[in-house]
Amino acid sequence: MFEKDLRAIIIFACVFGLLGILATMYFFEASAVSISSLLSKDAKEGVYIVSGNLKSLDTKSNVLFFKLCDSFACISGVYFNPAKQIIDKLIKAKQTNTEITIKARFEYYYDSPEIIAYKFYFNKLGDYS
Amino acid sequence: MIFLEIVFGLLLGFVLGLIPSFHLNVLSYLLLLLGIFSLMYSSFYFFFSLATSMTVAGIVPLLLFNAPTADNFTLNLGQQEDQSILPYIFGFVFGSLFSVLLLPLFYLLFSFFSNFYIFIFLVLLVTLFYLVFSDSNRPLALMVVIFSGILGIITLKYNFFFSEPLLPCIFGLFALPMLVVSFLDNTVDKSDSAPVQEIVQFKPAIFSAFLGSLFSSVIAIVPSLSPGMAQIFPAVLFEKLSKHNRKVLLSSTLLSVILIYFFMAALFRKSRLGFVSILLEKGAFPALSFPDILLLCFVFLFVVSLSCFILLVSFSNISKAIKSLPRKATIFCVIVFSIWLIVLVTNIYSFFLIILSFCIGLLPIVYNKNKLLLMSYLILPTILFYI
C-alpha cells in the first residue's frame, strides 16, 4: 500500500458509483400512469408519476392533504413536512387550475387508495420540488 | 440533467473548498443573499455534490495555510512541512463507503434516540465533563468552557442584539485564532521539500475509517456536536490511535456526517447544518423514496471518489501554486476576505462578535489547551435548552 493501491480503489469506487447511478435510474425509473389506472382493482403498490389538477388542499400538523383529479377520477394524497415555498406553489397551481405532475408512492391506507407525494413538477420543463 | 447537476456541483464545490476558512454555512448565506436558492431550488443533487466536494477540497487550505473551519479544525495533527494528503483521502474514501453501509443503522438510531431528550442531554453533559476532566490543568480548561459557554448563552439563547450570531462567533472562535497564529508565525516554509510518505497500515486505517463513520451517527443525532468531536469517542473507548489513524478517523467522520445530514433532512426534515437548514427552508429537499435513497448513496460515492481522485492528482500542483504565493500577504487577504464576507451576509455588528469570540478563541492557543473546549459555545446553550 499506498498511493497506487489507493488510486486503484478510488477509480473502482468512482466506476461503482457511476454504474450505481445509471442502474438506479434505469431500473427504478417511475412509470407515468393515469389516476384511473391507480384506482382500478389490479393496481399494484409502487412509485409512479401521476398528473392532474388539485381539487383540495389542506395542511394539518405539518402534513399536506390534497386531492388530485384528472378528467375521470380523483385520488387522495399526502405530503409530509412541506416547505412554505412548496405550499405557495401548490396554492397557486390550485387557484389557476394548472395541471401538475407528482412523483408519488401509491398504496392502500386502511383499504383506501392514496398517494404519498415525493416530488412536485410544476411545469413540463421539469421544474420540481 | 442529473449528471450535469452532479458534475457542476462537484467542480464548483472543489474550487470553493480551496478558499481558506470558507465554511459551507457561510456559502449558504452568500447563496441566499444572491437569491441562488430560489432560482435553483429544484437542483437537489447540485447542492449535495457541492457540499460533498467542498468538504473534500477543504482539506487543502487546512494543510497549506493551517486555516480550519469549525468542522475540520481538529484535523491538522502534524507539522506543516510533513503533511501528506494520503491519510485524509484514505479516510474520505473508506469513510464514504462505510457511511453508506451504516445508513440503515443510523436510521434506526435516529428513529429511537432523536426524541429521547435525556440521552441527548446526558451525551452533551458527559462530553463537556470529559473535556474538562481529561485536561491536565482543569481550572484553565474550565475557564475556557465557561467563557465560550457564556458567549454561547448570550448570543444563542438570550440574544437580543444580533440577528445572525452563529457565523461570526464560530469564525472568531475556531478559524480566526488559527489564521492569526499562522500569520504571526515566522517559521521559514520549506517550499521545496516533498511531503513525507506516511506509513499507513491498512487494517488499523480501515478500522479508524469505520469508527469515524460509526461515531458520525452519534454526532448527527446529538445537536451541537461537531465532526471535530469524533476524536473524543475513540479516545474514551480505545485510548491509543496513532496520529495517522486519527487523521483517517476524523476525515472519515467529516465526510460521513455530510451524507447523514442530507439523509436526515430528506427523511426526517431535521437539520444540524446551516446549509441544509436553508435548503430545507427553501423547499429544495424532495421527500425520498427507496430508489432515491439508493441514488443518493451512489451519487455520494461517485462525488467523493471523483473529488478524491482530482485532489490526489492535482494536490502537488495546487500545493506548488499556493506555496508560490507570499504566505503572510495571502493569509492577511484571507482574514480580511472572511471578515468582509461574514459582515456582508450578516450585519456590521458581527464585527464586534468576531473580535469578542476571537479573544476567547485565543485562550486554548495561549494556554496550550484542547481547542475542542471551545465547543462549549454550542454545547452549554443546548444543555440549558434541555433543562
Side-chain angles (χ1 to χ4, degrees):
Chain A
M1 194 76 186
F2 212 69
E3 190 165 346
K4 271 190 178 177
D5 293 351
L6 189 57
R7 211 174 267 225
I9 291 168
I10 290 172
I11 292 170
F12 174 76
C14 195
V15 173
F16 180 71
L18 188 64
L19 289 176
I21 294 170
L22 292 172
T24 312
M25 287 170 74
Y26 181 78
F27 290 109
F28 292 104
E29 197 181 26
S31 54
V33 293
S34 66
I35 294 174
S36 315
S37 68
L38 288 179
L39 296 173
S40 66
K41 282 182 182 173
D42 54 347
K44 286 179 185 171
E45 290 189 345
V47 179
Y48 297 100
I49 290 175
V50 282
S51 296
N53 298 75
L54 287 168
K55 286 294 172 219
S56 71
L57 209 56
D58 189 21
T59 312
K60 277 180 195 164
S61 310
N62 216 18
V63 180
L64 185 82
F65 297 91
F66 60 88
K67 245 185 190 12
L68 190 74
C69 304
D70 61 11
S71 317
F72 307 102
C74 292
I75 190 165
S76 308
V78 289
Y79 182 60
F80 297 106
N81 306 305
K84 192 183 170 298
Q85 201 154 342
I86 305 301
I87 297 175
D88 292 345
K89 276 182 173 276
L90 288 172
I91 290 171
K92 200 178 167 190
K94 182 176 172 271
Q95 282 169 349
T96 53
N97 203 25
T98 313
E99 187 185 69
I100 61 165
T101 303
I102 305 175
K103 184 180 177 186
R105 180 173 175 79
F106 169 73
E107 61 181 39
Y108 291 96
Y109 183 70
Y110 288 109
D111 291 332
S112 167
E114 73 163 23
I115 52 173
I116 301 167
Y118 292 131
K119 282 178 194 169
F120 293 97
Y121 299 79
F122 291 100
N123 60 39
K124 286 175 184 173
L125 295 171
D127 185 12
Y128 64 87
S129 81
Chain B
M1 188 63 191
I2 189 173
F3 278 105
L4 273 181
E5 279 184 26
I6 293 169
V7 172
F8 184 50
L10 189 152
L11 295 177
L12 186 66
F14 195 88
V15 173
L16 292 175
L18 296 178
I19 301 172
S21 294
F22 193 45
H23 192 261
L24 262 175
N25 289 347
V26 181
L27 174 69
S28 63
Y29 279 95
L30 192 65
L31 293 178
L32 195 65
L33 201 72
L34 297 171
I36 303 292
F37 286 120
S38 302
L39 289 173
M40 298 181 66
Y41 73 96
S42 61
S43 307
F44 170 73
Y45 286 104
F46 165 76
F47 293 115
F48 180 59
S49 308
L50 188 143
T52 308
S53 65
M54 202 170 155
T55 307
V56 172
I59 205 72
V60 176
L62 181 70
L63 293 179
L64 300 178
F65 285 112
N66 201 16
T69 64
D71 291 335
N72 66 13
F73 67 98
T74 53
L75 268 173
N76 198 1
L77 302 161
Q79 293 299 309
Q80 283 271 298
E81 61 270 19
D82 72 352
Q83 290 292 329
S84 162
I85 196 98
L86 293 180
Y88 300 104
I89 290 187
F90 189 94
F92 286 143
V93 173
F94 283 93
S96 65
L97 286 169
F98 285 125
S99 61
V100 166
L101 294 174
L102 291 172
L103 219 47
L105 175 73
F106 169 74
Y107 178 83
L108 291 176
L109 285 175
F110 191 86
S111 308
F112 187 72
F113 286 114
S114 63
N115 292 323
F116 194 5
Y117 295 125
I118 292 179
F119 165 77
I120 295 174
F121 173 78
L122 285 177
V123 169
L124 290 174
L125 206 62
V126 168
T127 307
L128 212 53
F129 272 106
Y130 176 79
L131 284 171
V132 174
F133 283 96
S134 63
D135 202 282
S136 54
N137 191 337
R138 287 173 196 161
L140 267 178
L142 190 66
M143 185 183 79
V144 177
V145 164
I146 288 173
F147 272 110
S148 46
I150 288 174
L151 180 71
I153 293 166
I154 291 172
T155 55
L156 298 178
K157 193 166 166 63
Y158 301 110
N159 174 21
F160 306 111
F161 307 103
F162 305 102
S163 57
E164 295 289 347
L166 200 61
L167 281 184
C169 286
I170 293 284
F171 175 74
L173 283 172
F174 299 103
L176 191 57
M178 302 279 277
L179 283 170
V180 171
V181 167
S182 298
F183 179 75
L184 298 175
D185 186 14
N186 287 319
T187 315
V188 180
D189 192 28
K190 296 177 182 176
S191 304
D192 299 329
S193 61
V196 174
Q197 182 72 41
E198 301 194 28
I199 300 163
V200 182
Q201 288 178 314
F202 191 75
K203 274 187 185 172
I206 285 275
F207 181 61
S208 302
F210 175 75
L211 283 183
S213 297
L214 192 66
F215 292 130
S216 60
S217 303
V218 180
I219 286 161
I221 290 169
V222 182
S224 84
L225 287 190
S226 102
M229 304 294 267
Q231 66 168 278
I232 290 180
F233 301 109
V236 174
L237 299 172
F238 303 101
E239 288 284 321
K240 285 199 174 180
L241 272 179
S242 72
K243 192 175 80 177
H244 305 315
N245 289 334
R246 284 173 69 195
K247 288 178 184 176
V248 172
L249 179 131
L250 290 167
S251 41
S252 160
T253 311
L254 196 63
L255 207 61
S256 300
V257 290
I258 294 291
L259 177 68
I260 292 175
Y261 286 154
F262 273 79
F263 176 75
M264 192 164 83
L267 252 70
F268 302 103
R269 302 279 144 176
K270 293 249 170 114
S271 146
R272 300 274 186 264
L273 187 72
F275 185 78
V276 173
S277 301
I278 292 174
L279 282 177
L280 264 178
E281 208 175 285
K282 291 288 162 190
F285 265 94
L288 297 186
S289 61
F290 177 69
D292 291 327
I293 294 170
L294 269 184
L295 189 62
L296 183 80
C297 292
F298 284 123
V299 169
F300 182 66
L301 284 180
F302 177 68
V303 172
V304 171
S305 47
L306 198 55
S307 306
C308 285
F309 185 76
I310 296 171
L311 189 59
L312 197 62
V313 170
S314 61
F315 182 69
S316 59
N317 290 329
I318 294 171
S319 172
K320 271 180 199 165
I322 290 178
K323 279 180 177 174
S324 68
L325 298 170
R327 184 180 164 79
K328 287 211 170 197
T330 313
I331 294 175
F332 181 75
C333 289
V334 166
I335 293 172
V336 173
F337 171 73
S338 305
I339 294 175
W340 172 78
L341 200 61
I342 289 171
V343 170
L344 179 77
V345 297
T346 54
N347 53 47
I348 190 71
Y349 302 111
S350 298
F351 190 74
F352 167 73
L353 277 185
I354 291 174
I355 301 290
L356 183 65
S357 46
F358 166 69
C359 295
I360 296 171
L362 274 181
L363 290 174
I365 296 174
V366 172
Y367 294 111
N368 197 23
K369 297 280 129 210
N370 189 346
K371 284 190 283 297
L372 279 173
L373 290 165
L374 294 170
M375 288 306 294
S376 163
Y377 170 75
L378 293 171
I379 295 177
L380 219 55
T382 316
I383 287 177
L384 288 180
F385 173 78
Y386 286 115
I387 289 177

